[in-house]
Amino acid sequence: AQRVTQPEKLLSVFKGAPVELKCNYSYSGSPELFWYVQYSRQRLQLLLRHISRESIKGFTADLNKGETSFHLKKPFAQEEDSAMYYCALSGRGDYKLSFGAGTTVTVRA
Amino acid sequence: NAGVTQTPKFQVLKTGQSMTLQCAQDMNHNSMYWYRQDPGMGLRLIYYSASEGTTDKGEVPNGYNVSRLNKREFSLRLESAAPSQTSVYFCASSVRTGTGVNYGYTFGSGTRLTVV
């Protein structure tokens, strides 16, 4: 069975401070991991995927297979980063995408 | 390029009523999905269709049925709505490469359903 855990429901940071959203997963095979962002009352948007090893809007995430983690980081938070963030996992060749419960990030001025 | 389009955006039903949520994608994706989003529970998969002509149950299929009408369209039906089905429903689509790599899902804007 696959499982995604986001231990923080709420995260509040000041503008310009670093922000890190934790994501741990459980999966026996080869995982594919993603971060999605949902701004207020909007659709979910793909933010990052581990396979692309990219940086989007200043965010990065590294897959750590030893710790089974895929934490999302940004060195300097901006007010427009306030949103709900979901970590998600799929297996290679699998069609189902499993989501964590989400972390609501509030960036204060 | 509209991506994934869902209708309606809002709906209020009385307990026991039925309705169908419509979803269409124009990205030529093979796979389509229906999720529900509830506070504190993230998104949970209701049903999915890996390819045209196939459908499979997800994590929370009870009380729902689906139809993959063609490659573009995937509908979700509530036969007898219950208050527990009050939620925000999202449709999504995806495509995999020839080696099976998933490059992520594209989501619709959601349907906010209230069952009273």
PDB file of all heavy atoms in Angstrom, chain A residues 11-16 19 21 36-42 45 47 57 59 72 74 76-86 103-109:
ATOM      1  N   LEU A  11       1.283  26.013   8.541  1.00  0.00           N
ATOM      2  CA  LEU A  11       2.642  26.520   8.640  1.00  0.00           C
ATOM      3  C   LEU A  11       2.581  28.022   8.403  1.00  0.00           C
ATOM      4  O   LEU A  11       2.053  28.471   7.381  1.00  0.00           O
ATOM      5  CB  LEU A  11       3.522  25.854   7.582  1.00  0.00           C
ATOM      6  CG  LEU A  11       5.029  25.854   7.761  1.00  0.00           C
ATOM      7  CD1 LEU A  11       5.414  25.211   9.088  1.00  0.00           C
ATOM      8  CD2 LEU A  11       5.679  25.094   6.610  1.00  0.00           C
ATOM      9  N   SER A  12       3.081  28.781   9.371  1.00  0.00           N
ATOM     10  CA  SER A  12       3.065  30.238   9.250  1.00  0.00           C
ATOM     11  C   SER A  12       4.488  30.745   9.305  1.00  0.00           C
ATOM     12  O   SER A  12       5.236  30.396  10.222  1.00  0.00           O
ATOM     13  CB  SER A  12       2.233  30.846  10.384  1.00  0.00           C
ATOM     14  OG  SER A  12       2.195  32.254  10.264  1.00  0.00           O
ATOM     15  N   VAL A  13       4.867  31.537   8.315  1.00  0.00           N
ATOM     16  CA  VAL A  13       6.220  32.087   8.269  1.00  0.00           C
ATOM     17  C   VAL A  13       6.138  33.557   7.897  1.00  0.00           C
ATOM     18  O   VAL A  13       5.145  34.028   7.324  1.00  0.00           O
ATOM     19  CB  VAL A  13       7.111  31.342   7.253  1.00  0.00           C
ATOM     20  CG1 VAL A  13       7.263  29.875   7.627  1.00  0.00           C
ATOM     21  CG2 VAL A  13       6.584  31.490   5.839  1.00  0.00           C
ATOM     22  N   PHE A  14       7.215  34.273   8.215  1.00  0.00           N
ATOM     23  CA  PHE A  14       7.296  35.665   7.809  1.00  0.00           C
ATOM     24  C   PHE A  14       7.901  35.772   6.418  1.00  0.00           C
ATOM     25  O   PHE A  14       8.712  34.937   5.999  1.00  0.00           O
ATOM     26  CB  PHE A  14       8.133  36.468   8.798  1.00  0.00           C
ATOM     27  CG  PHE A  14       7.420  36.782  10.081  1.00  0.00           C
ATOM     28  CD1 PHE A  14       7.730  36.094  11.250  1.00  0.00           C
ATOM     29  CD2 PHE A  14       6.432  37.748  10.126  1.00  0.00           C
ATOM     30  CE1 PHE A  14       7.066  36.375  12.433  1.00  0.00           C
ATOM     31  CE2 PHE A  14       5.767  38.040  11.308  1.00  0.00           C
ATOM     32  CZ  PHE A  14       6.081  37.346  12.457  1.00  0.00           C
ATOM     33  N   LYS A  15       7.485  36.807   5.720  1.00  0.00           N
ATOM     34  CA  LYS A  15       8.038  37.099   4.401  1.00  0.00           C
ATOM     35  C   LYS A  15       9.552  37.195   4.489  1.00  0.00           C
ATOM     36  O   LYS A  15      10.092  37.835   5.404  1.00  0.00           O
ATOM     37  CB  LYS A  15       7.455  38.415   3.887  1.00  0.00           C
ATOM     38  CG  LYS A  15       7.964  38.860   2.548  1.00  0.00           C
ATOM     39  CD  LYS A  15       7.335  40.189   2.146  1.00  0.00           C
ATOM     40  CE  LYS A  15       7.932  40.731   0.878  1.00  0.00           C
ATOM     41  NZ  LYS A  15       7.335  42.039   0.502  1.00  0.00           N
ATOM     42  N   GLY A  16      10.222  36.531   3.555  1.00  0.00           N
ATOM     43  CA  GLY A  16      11.676  36.563   3.531  1.00  0.00           C
ATOM     44  C   GLY A  16      12.331  35.450   4.334  1.00  0.00           C
ATOM     45  O   GLY A  16      13.540  35.218   4.215  1.00  0.00           O
ATOM     46  N   VAL A  19      11.189  28.511   4.234  1.00  0.00           N
ATOM     47  CA  VAL A  19      10.031  27.658   4.524  1.00  0.00           C
ATOM     48  C   VAL A  19      10.342  26.245   4.047  1.00  0.00           C
ATOM     49  O   VAL A  19      10.952  26.047   2.997  1.00  0.00           O
ATOM     50  CB  VAL A  19       8.751  28.202   3.864  1.00  0.00           C
ATOM     51  CG1 VAL A  19       8.894  28.278   2.353  1.00  0.00           C
ATOM     52  CG2 VAL A  19       7.545  27.364   4.249  1.00  0.00           C
ATOM     53  N   LEU A  21       8.324  22.424   3.879  1.00  0.00           N
ATOM     54  CA  LEU A  21       7.138  21.600   4.075  1.00  0.00           C
ATOM     55  C   LEU A  21       7.571  20.141   4.019  1.00  0.00           C
ATOM     56  O   LEU A  21       8.201  19.713   3.055  1.00  0.00           O
ATOM     57  CB  LEU A  21       6.098  21.859   2.983  1.00  0.00           C
ATOM     58  CG  LEU A  21       5.338  23.175   3.016  1.00  0.00           C
ATOM     59  CD1 LEU A  21       6.203  24.345   2.585  1.00  0.00           C
ATOM     60  CD2 LEU A  21       4.095  23.085   2.145  1.00  0.00           C
ATOM     61  N   TYR A  36       1.957  19.547  -5.387  1.00  0.00           N
ATOM     62  CA  TYR A  36       0.912  20.350  -6.005  1.00  0.00           C
ATOM     63  C   TYR A  36       0.609  21.534  -5.100  1.00  0.00           C
ATOM     64  O   TYR A  36       0.703  21.441  -3.881  1.00  0.00           O
ATOM     65  CB  TYR A  36      -0.367  19.532  -6.207  1.00  0.00           C
ATOM     66  CG  TYR A  36      -0.306  18.585  -7.380  1.00  0.00           C
ATOM     67  CD1 TYR A  36       0.292  17.340  -7.254  1.00  0.00           C
ATOM     68  CD2 TYR A  36      -0.838  18.951  -8.609  1.00  0.00           C
ATOM     69  CE1 TYR A  36       0.359  16.478  -8.334  1.00  0.00           C
ATOM     70  CE2 TYR A  36      -0.773  18.090  -9.697  1.00  0.00           C
ATOM     71  CZ  TYR A  36      -0.167  16.864  -9.549  1.00  0.00           C
ATOM     72  OH  TYR A  36      -0.102  16.009 -10.623  1.00  0.00           O
ATOM     73  N   VAL A  37       0.194  22.634  -5.719  1.00  0.00           N
ATOM     74  CA  VAL A  37      -0.181  23.820  -4.961  1.00  0.00           C
ATOM     75  C   VAL A  37      -1.610  24.209  -5.356  1.00  0.00           C
ATOM     76  O   VAL A  37      -2.014  24.065  -6.508  1.00  0.00           O
ATOM     77  CB  VAL A  37       0.801  24.988  -5.209  1.00  0.00           C
ATOM     78  CG1 VAL A  37       0.851  25.387  -6.674  1.00  0.00           C
ATOM     79  CG2 VAL A  37       0.451  26.190  -4.346  1.00  0.00           C
ATOM     80  N   GLN A  38      -2.357  24.660  -4.353  1.00  0.00           N
ATOM     81  CA  GLN A  38      -3.733  25.114  -4.602  1.00  0.00           C
ATOM     82  C   GLN A  38      -3.906  26.478  -3.951  1.00  0.00           C
ATOM     83  O   GLN A  38      -3.948  26.578  -2.713  1.00  0.00           O
ATOM     84  CB  GLN A  38      -4.737  24.113  -4.057  1.00  0.00           C
ATOM     85  CG  GLN A  38      -6.179  24.458  -4.398  1.00  0.00           C
ATOM     86  CD  GLN A  38      -7.158  23.437  -3.834  1.00  0.00           C
ATOM     87  OE1 GLN A  38      -6.914  22.829  -2.804  1.00  0.00           O
ATOM     88  NE2 GLN A  38      -8.282  23.257  -4.518  1.00  0.00           N
ATOM     89  N   TYR A  39      -3.989  27.520  -4.763  1.00  0.00           N
ATOM     90  CA  TYR A  39      -4.267  28.854  -4.248  1.00  0.00           C
ATOM     91  C   TYR A  39      -5.755  28.937  -3.940  1.00  0.00           C
ATOM     92  O   TYR A  39      -6.553  28.153  -4.437  1.00  0.00           O
ATOM     93  CB  TYR A  39      -3.822  29.907  -5.246  1.00  0.00           C
ATOM     94  CG  TYR A  39      -2.348  29.820  -5.556  1.00  0.00           C
ATOM     95  CD1 TYR A  39      -1.889  29.244  -6.742  1.00  0.00           C
ATOM     96  CD2 TYR A  39      -1.401  30.261  -4.638  1.00  0.00           C
ATOM     97  CE1 TYR A  39      -0.542  29.125  -7.007  1.00  0.00           C
ATOM     98  CE2 TYR A  39      -0.043  30.133  -4.892  1.00  0.00           C
ATOM     99  CZ  TYR A  39       0.374  29.571  -6.072  1.00  0.00           C
ATOM    100  OH  TYR A  39       1.719  29.445  -6.318  1.00  0.00           O
ATOM    101  N   SER A  40      -6.112  29.927  -3.152  1.00  0.00           N
ATOM    102  CA  SER A  40      -7.463  30.012  -2.617  1.00  0.00           C
ATOM    103  C   SER A  40      -8.534  29.804  -3.693  1.00  0.00           C
ATOM    104  O   SER A  40      -8.613  30.547  -4.659  1.00  0.00           O
ATOM    105  CB  SER A  40      -7.665  31.367  -1.944  1.00  0.00           C
ATOM    106  OG  SER A  40      -8.951  31.471  -1.402  1.00  0.00           O
ATOM    107  N   ARG A  41      -9.332  28.760  -3.511  1.00  0.00           N
ATOM    108  CA  ARG A  41     -10.476  28.453  -4.369  1.00  0.00           C
ATOM    109  C   ARG A  41     -10.097  28.290  -5.837  1.00  0.00           C
ATOM    110  O   ARG A  41     -10.893  28.593  -6.715  1.00  0.00           O
ATOM    111  CB  ARG A  41     -11.559  29.507  -4.206  1.00  0.00           C
ATOM    112  CG  ARG A  41     -12.138  29.509  -2.801  1.00  0.00           C
ATOM    113  CD  ARG A  41     -13.505  30.093  -2.744  1.00  0.00           C
ATOM    114  NE  ARG A  41     -14.087  29.854  -1.430  1.00  0.00           N
ATOM    115  CZ  ARG A  41     -15.295  29.353  -1.255  1.00  0.00           C
ATOM    116  NH1 ARG A  41     -16.044  29.051  -2.288  1.00  0.00           N
ATOM    117  NH2 ARG A  41     -15.757  29.154  -0.038  1.00  0.00           N
ATOM    118  N   GLN A  42      -8.889  27.819  -6.086  1.00  0.00           N
ATOM    119  CA  GLN A  42      -8.465  27.546  -7.457  1.00  0.00           C
ATOM    120  C   GLN A  42      -8.185  26.066  -7.623  1.00  0.00           C
ATOM    121  O   GLN A  42      -8.213  25.298  -6.663  1.00  0.00           O
ATOM    122  CB  GLN A  42      -7.226  28.370  -7.810  1.00  0.00           C
ATOM    123  CG  GLN A  42      -7.480  29.864  -7.850  1.00  0.00           C
ATOM    124  CD  GLN A  42      -6.268  30.609  -8.372  1.00  0.00           C
ATOM    125  OE1 GLN A  42      -5.435  30.057  -9.100  1.00  0.00           O
ATOM    126  NE2 GLN A  42      -6.170  31.873  -8.013  1.00  0.00           N
ATOM    127  N   GLN A  45      -2.490  22.857  -9.028  1.00  0.00           N
ATOM    128  CA  GLN A  45      -1.505  23.031 -10.092  1.00  0.00           C
ATOM    129  C   GLN A  45      -0.252  22.239  -9.717  1.00  0.00           C
ATOM    130  O   GLN A  45       0.162  22.254  -8.561  1.00  0.00           O
ATOM    131  CB  GLN A  45      -1.126  24.500 -10.237  1.00  0.00           C
ATOM    132  CG  GLN A  45      -2.281  25.445 -10.501  1.00  0.00           C
ATOM    133  CD  GLN A  45      -1.834  26.887 -10.437  1.00  0.00           C
ATOM    134  OE1 GLN A  45      -0.710  27.226 -10.820  1.00  0.00           O
ATOM    135  NE2 GLN A  45      -2.695  27.751  -9.960  1.00  0.00           N
ATOM    136  N   LEU A  47       3.373  21.705  -9.088  1.00  0.00           N
ATOM    137  CA  LEU A  47       4.465  22.604  -8.739  1.00  0.00           C
ATOM    138  C   LEU A  47       5.811  21.974  -9.117  1.00  0.00           C
ATOM    139  O   LEU A  47       6.615  22.586  -9.797  1.00  0.00           O
ATOM    140  CB  LEU A  47       4.413  22.931  -7.247  1.00  0.00           C
ATOM    141  CG  LEU A  47       5.463  23.893  -6.704  1.00  0.00           C
ATOM    142  CD1 LEU A  47       5.330  25.262  -7.364  1.00  0.00           C
ATOM    143  CD2 LEU A  47       5.342  24.031  -5.187  1.00  0.00           C
ATOM    144  N   LYS A  57       9.270  28.615  -9.155  1.00  0.00           N
ATOM    145  CA  LYS A  57       8.912  29.707  -8.230  1.00  0.00           C
ATOM    146  C   LYS A  57       9.832  29.712  -7.020  1.00  0.00           C
ATOM    147  O   LYS A  57       9.428  30.083  -5.912  1.00  0.00           O
ATOM    148  CB  LYS A  57       7.452  29.577  -7.784  1.00  0.00           C
ATOM    149  CG  LYS A  57       6.456  29.676  -8.926  1.00  0.00           C
ATOM    150  CD  LYS A  57       5.021  29.634  -8.435  1.00  0.00           C
ATOM    151  CE  LYS A  57       4.054  29.749  -9.596  1.00  0.00           C
ATOM    152  NZ  LYS A  57       2.645  29.747  -9.166  1.00  0.00           N
ATOM    153  N   PHE A  59      11.010  27.185  -5.441  1.00  0.00           N
ATOM    154  CA  PHE A  59      10.860  25.967  -4.646  1.00  0.00           C
ATOM    155  C   PHE A  59      11.721  24.835  -5.211  1.00  0.00           C
ATOM    156  O   PHE A  59      11.849  24.701  -6.420  1.00  0.00           O
ATOM    157  CB  PHE A  59       9.406  25.489  -4.632  1.00  0.00           C
ATOM    158  CG  PHE A  59       8.488  26.292  -3.771  1.00  0.00           C
ATOM    159  CD1 PHE A  59       7.697  27.281  -4.323  1.00  0.00           C
ATOM    160  CD2 PHE A  59       8.412  26.054  -2.407  1.00  0.00           C
ATOM    161  CE1 PHE A  59       6.834  28.037  -3.529  1.00  0.00           C
ATOM    162  CE2 PHE A  59       7.552  26.789  -1.612  1.00  0.00           C
ATOM    163  CZ  PHE A  59       6.770  27.780  -2.173  1.00  0.00           C
ATOM    164  N   LEU A  72       9.665  19.914   0.663  1.00  0.00           N
ATOM    165  CA  LEU A  72       9.632  21.082  -0.234  1.00  0.00           C
ATOM    166  C   LEU A  72      10.265  22.280   0.488  1.00  0.00           C
ATOM    167  O   LEU A  72       9.919  22.558   1.634  1.00  0.00           O
ATOM    168  CB  LEU A  72       8.187  21.403  -0.613  1.00  0.00           C
ATOM    169  CG  LEU A  72       7.959  22.550  -1.597  1.00  0.00           C
ATOM    170  CD1 LEU A  72       8.478  22.172  -2.985  1.00  0.00           C
ATOM    171  CD2 LEU A  72       6.474  22.899  -1.657  1.00  0.00           C
ATOM    172  N   LYS A  74      11.926  26.449   0.261  1.00  0.00           N
ATOM    173  CA  LYS A  74      12.141  27.723  -0.418  1.00  0.00           C
ATOM    174  C   LYS A  74      12.921  28.616   0.526  1.00  0.00           C
ATOM    175  O   LYS A  74      12.537  28.766   1.686  1.00  0.00           O
ATOM    176  CB  LYS A  74      10.812  28.371  -0.807  1.00  0.00           C
ATOM    177  CG  LYS A  74      10.981  29.660  -1.615  1.00  0.00           C
ATOM    178  CD  LYS A  74       9.678  30.147  -2.205  1.00  0.00           C
ATOM    179  CE  LYS A  74       9.906  31.398  -3.058  1.00  0.00           C
ATOM    180  NZ  LYS A  74       8.662  31.852  -3.723  1.00  0.00           N
ATOM    181  N   PHE A  76      13.432  31.907   0.638  1.00  0.00           N
ATOM    182  CA  PHE A  76      12.867  33.202   1.012  1.00  0.00           C
ATOM    183  C   PHE A  76      11.384  33.226   0.632  1.00  0.00           C
ATOM    184  O   PHE A  76      11.040  33.413  -0.537  1.00  0.00           O
ATOM    185  CB  PHE A  76      13.607  34.346   0.303  1.00  0.00           C
ATOM    186  CG  PHE A  76      15.098  34.309   0.478  1.00  0.00           C
ATOM    187  CD1 PHE A  76      15.921  33.870  -0.540  1.00  0.00           C
ATOM    188  CD2 PHE A  76      15.673  34.694   1.674  1.00  0.00           C
ATOM    189  CE1 PHE A  76      17.290  33.823  -0.388  1.00  0.00           C
ATOM    190  CE2 PHE A  76      17.051  34.657   1.850  1.00  0.00           C
ATOM    191  CZ  PHE A  76      17.864  34.219   0.820  1.00  0.00           C
ATOM    192  N   ALA A  77      10.526  33.045   1.606  1.00  0.00           N
ATOM    193  CA  ALA A  77       9.087  32.986   1.322  1.00  0.00           C
ATOM    194  C   ALA A  77       8.532  34.350   0.912  1.00  0.00           C
ATOM    195  O   ALA A  77       8.970  35.393   1.417  1.00  0.00           O
ATOM    196  CB  ALA A  77       8.347  32.489   2.562  1.00  0.00           C
ATOM    197  N   GLN A  78       7.574  34.312   0.001  1.00  0.00           N
ATOM    198  CA  GLN A  78       6.882  35.516  -0.454  1.00  0.00           C
ATOM    199  C   GLN A  78       5.397  35.411  -0.096  1.00  0.00           C
ATOM    200  O   GLN A  78       4.869  34.310   0.063  1.00  0.00           O
ATOM    201  CB  GLN A  78       7.033  35.666  -1.970  1.00  0.00           C
ATOM    202  CG  GLN A  78       8.473  35.729  -2.445  1.00  0.00           C
ATOM    203  CD  GLN A  78       9.225  36.906  -1.868  1.00  0.00           C
ATOM    204  OE1 GLN A  78       8.713  38.039  -1.851  1.00  0.00           O
ATOM    205  NE2 GLN A  78      10.433  36.677  -1.383  1.00  0.00           N
ATOM    206  N   GLU A  79       4.731  36.567  -0.006  1.00  0.00           N
ATOM    207  CA  GLU A  79       3.322  36.556   0.373  1.00  0.00           C
ATOM    208  C   GLU A  79       2.487  35.759  -0.619  1.00  0.00           C
ATOM    209  O   GLU A  79       1.514  35.090  -0.233  1.00  0.00           O
ATOM    210  CB  GLU A  79       2.795  37.982   0.488  1.00  0.00           C
ATOM    211  CG  GLU A  79       3.337  38.720   1.695  1.00  0.00           C
ATOM    212  CD  GLU A  79       2.792  40.131   1.812  1.00  0.00           C
ATOM    213  OE1 GLU A  79       1.634  40.286   2.205  1.00  0.00           O
ATOM    214  OE2 GLU A  79       3.533  41.077   1.501  1.00  0.00           O
ATOM    215  N   GLU A  80       2.868  35.760  -1.889  1.00  0.00           N
ATOM    216  CA  GLU A  80       2.102  35.021  -2.893  1.00  0.00           C
ATOM    217  C   GLU A  80       2.284  33.512  -2.785  1.00  0.00           C
ATOM    218  O   GLU A  80       1.623  32.754  -3.503  1.00  0.00           O
ATOM    219  CB  GLU A  80       2.485  35.482  -4.310  1.00  0.00           C
ATOM    220  CG  GLU A  80       3.955  35.395  -4.631  1.00  0.00           C
ATOM    221  CD  GLU A  80       4.668  36.720  -4.402  1.00  0.00           C
ATOM    222  OE1 GLU A  80       4.248  37.491  -3.506  1.00  0.00           O
ATOM    223  OE2 GLU A  80       5.660  36.961  -5.116  1.00  0.00           O
ATOM    224  N   ASP A  81       3.159  33.068  -1.878  1.00  0.00           N
ATOM    225  CA  ASP A  81       3.311  31.634  -1.645  1.00  0.00           C
ATOM    226  C   ASP A  81       2.243  31.091  -0.696  1.00  0.00           C
ATOM    227  O   ASP A  81       2.163  29.874  -0.480  1.00  0.00           O
ATOM    228  CB  ASP A  81       4.695  31.329  -1.052  1.00  0.00           C
ATOM    229  CG  ASP A  81       5.814  31.684  -2.013  1.00  0.00           C
ATOM    230  OD1 ASP A  81       5.612  31.573  -3.243  1.00  0.00           O
ATOM    231  OD2 ASP A  81       6.893  32.082  -1.529  1.00  0.00           O
ATOM    232  N   SER A  82       1.444  31.962  -0.136  1.00  0.00           N
ATOM    233  CA  SER A  82       0.361  31.507   0.751  1.00  0.00           C
ATOM    234  C   SER A  82      -0.614  30.650  -0.037  1.00  0.00           C
ATOM    235  O   SER A  82      -1.199  31.112  -1.022  1.00  0.00           O
ATOM    236  CB  SER A  82      -0.363  32.710   1.359  1.00  0.00           C
ATOM    237  OG  SER A  82       0.496  33.442   2.195  1.00  0.00           O
ATOM    238  N   ALA A  83      -0.772  29.406   0.374  1.00  0.00           N
ATOM    239  CA  ALA A  83      -1.584  28.457  -0.381  1.00  0.00           C
ATOM    240  C   ALA A  83      -1.623  27.137   0.379  1.00  0.00           C
ATOM    241  O   ALA A  83      -0.985  26.977   1.419  1.00  0.00           O
ATOM    242  CB  ALA A  83      -1.010  28.220  -1.777  1.00  0.00           C
ATOM    243  N   MET A  84      -2.372  26.190  -0.181  1.00  0.00           N
ATOM    244  CA  MET A  84      -2.374  24.829   0.318  1.00  0.00           C
ATOM    245  C   MET A  84      -1.415  24.023  -0.561  1.00  0.00           C
ATOM    246  O   MET A  84      -1.478  24.118  -1.797  1.00  0.00           O
ATOM    247  CB  MET A  84      -3.779  24.229   0.251  1.00  0.00           C
ATOM    248  CG  MET A  84      -3.857  22.758   0.587  1.00  0.00           C
ATOM    249  SD  MET A  84      -3.717  22.428   2.344  1.00  0.00           S
ATOM    250  CE  MET A  84      -5.456  22.539   2.786  1.00  0.00           C
ATOM    251  N   TYR A  85      -0.566  23.222   0.074  1.00  0.00           N
ATOM    252  CA  TYR A  85       0.406  22.423  -0.657  1.00  0.00           C
ATOM    253  C   TYR A  85       0.161  20.940  -0.371  1.00  0.00           C
ATOM    254  O   TYR A  85       0.004  20.535   0.786  1.00  0.00           O
ATOM    255  CB  TYR A  85       1.835  22.803  -0.237  1.00  0.00           C
ATOM    256  CG  TYR A  85       2.226  24.185  -0.677  1.00  0.00           C
ATOM    257  CD1 TYR A  85       1.816  25.298   0.049  1.00  0.00           C
ATOM    258  CD2 TYR A  85       2.986  24.389  -1.826  1.00  0.00           C
ATOM    259  CE1 TYR A  85       2.156  26.584  -0.360  1.00  0.00           C
ATOM    260  CE2 TYR A  85       3.334  25.663  -2.240  1.00  0.00           C
ATOM    261  CZ  TYR A  85       2.911  26.754  -1.506  1.00  0.00           C
ATOM    262  OH  TYR A  85       3.248  28.018  -1.908  1.00  0.00           O
ATOM    263  N   TYR A  86       0.124  20.177  -1.443  1.00  0.00           N
ATOM    264  CA  TYR A  86      -0.089  18.742  -1.321  1.00  0.00           C
ATOM    265  C   TYR A  86       1.111  17.992  -1.878  1.00  0.00           C
ATOM    266  O   TYR A  86       1.582  18.284  -2.991  1.00  0.00           O
ATOM    267  CB  TYR A  86      -1.314  18.301  -2.121  1.00  0.00           C
ATOM    268  CG  TYR A  86      -2.631  18.734  -1.552  1.00  0.00           C
ATOM    269  CD1 TYR A  86      -3.303  19.838  -2.062  1.00  0.00           C
ATOM    270  CD2 TYR A  86      -3.223  18.023  -0.506  1.00  0.00           C
ATOM    271  CE1 TYR A  86      -4.530  20.230  -1.555  1.00  0.00           C
ATOM    272  CE2 TYR A  86      -4.452  18.406   0.002  1.00  0.00           C
ATOM    273  CZ  TYR A  86      -5.097  19.513  -0.519  1.00  0.00           C
ATOM    274  OH  TYR A  86      -6.315  19.891  -0.011  1.00  0.00           O
ATOM    275  N   THR A 103      -0.759  20.822   3.531  1.00  0.00           N
ATOM    276  CA  THR A 103      -0.246  21.808   4.488  1.00  0.00           C
ATOM    277  C   THR A 103      -0.648  23.190   4.026  1.00  0.00           C
ATOM    278  O   THR A 103      -0.363  23.555   2.871  1.00  0.00           O
ATOM    279  CB  THR A 103       1.287  21.733   4.601  1.00  0.00           C
ATOM    280  OG1 THR A 103       1.670  20.442   5.075  1.00  0.00           O
ATOM    281  CG2 THR A 103       1.811  22.809   5.558  1.00  0.00           C
ATOM    282  N   THR A 104      -1.311  23.926   4.883  1.00  0.00           N
ATOM    283  CA  THR A 104      -1.693  25.301   4.559  1.00  0.00           C
ATOM    284  C   THR A 104      -0.572  26.228   4.995  1.00  0.00           C
ATOM    285  O   THR A 104      -0.211  26.265   6.176  1.00  0.00           O
ATOM    286  CB  THR A 104      -2.991  25.702   5.268  1.00  0.00           C
ATOM    287  OG1 THR A 104      -4.036  24.825   4.857  1.00  0.00           O
ATOM    288  CG2 THR A 104      -3.366  27.131   4.893  1.00  0.00           C
ATOM    289  N   VAL A 105      -0.038  26.954   4.043  1.00  0.00           N
ATOM    290  CA  VAL A 105       1.060  27.884   4.319  1.00  0.00           C
ATOM    291  C   VAL A 105       0.537  29.310   4.300  1.00  0.00           C
ATOM    292  O   VAL A 105      -0.142  29.714   3.354  1.00  0.00           O
ATOM    293  CB  VAL A 105       2.192  27.726   3.286  1.00  0.00           C
ATOM    294  CG1 VAL A 105       3.245  28.809   3.470  1.00  0.00           C
ATOM    295  CG2 VAL A 105       2.811  26.343   3.385  1.00  0.00           C
ATOM    296  N   THR A 106       0.863  30.041   5.350  1.00  0.00           N
ATOM    297  CA  THR A 106       0.533  31.461   5.416  1.00  0.00           C
ATOM    298  C   THR A 106       1.826  32.235   5.554  1.00  0.00           C
ATOM    299  O   THR A 106       2.607  31.986   6.480  1.00  0.00           O
ATOM    300  CB  THR A 106      -0.386  31.771   6.606  1.00  0.00           C
ATOM    301  OG1 THR A 106      -1.580  30.995   6.488  1.00  0.00           O
ATOM    302  CG2 THR A 106      -0.746  33.253   6.632  1.00  0.00           C
ATOM    303  N   VAL A 107       2.051  33.157   4.632  1.00  0.00           N
ATOM    304  CA  VAL A 107       3.243  33.991   4.680  1.00  0.00           C
ATOM    305  C   VAL A 107       2.820  35.392   5.126  1.00  0.00           C
ATOM    306  O   VAL A 107       2.020  36.048   4.466  1.00  0.00           O
ATOM    307  CB  VAL A 107       3.957  34.055   3.327  1.00  0.00           C
ATOM    308  CG1 VAL A 107       5.205  34.921   3.415  1.00  0.00           C
ATOM    309  CG2 VAL A 107       4.304  32.650   2.841  1.00  0.00           C
ATOM    310  N   ARG A 108       3.345  35.807   6.251  1.00  0.00           N
ATOM    311  CA  ARG A 108       2.952  37.095   6.836  1.00  0.00           C
ATOM    312  C   ARG A 108       3.965  38.175   6.491  1.00  0.00           C
ATOM    313  O   ARG A 108       5.164  37.916   6.464  1.00  0.00           O
ATOM    314  CB  ARG A 108       2.821  36.939   8.345  1.00  0.00           C
ATOM    315  CG  ARG A 108       1.680  36.018   8.748  1.00  0.00           C
ATOM    316  CD  ARG A 108       1.587  35.894  10.245  1.00  0.00           C
ATOM    317  NE  ARG A 108       2.663  35.073  10.791  1.00  0.00           N
ATOM    318  CZ  ARG A 108       2.916  34.962  12.087  1.00  0.00           C
ATOM    319  NH1 ARG A 108       2.205  35.638  12.962  1.00  0.00           N
ATOM    320  NH2 ARG A 108       3.884  34.186  12.517  1.00  0.00           N
ATOM    321  N   ALA A 109       3.466  39.367   6.304  1.00  0.00           N
ATOM    322  CA  ALA A 109       4.328  40.503   5.954  1.00  0.00           C
ATOM    323  C   ALA A 109       5.194  40.935   7.136  1.00  0.00           C
ATOM    324  O   ALA A 109       4.825  40.724   8.293  1.00  0.00           O
ATOM    325  CB  ALA A 109       3.481  41.663   5.481  1.00  0.00           C
TER     326      ALA A 109
END
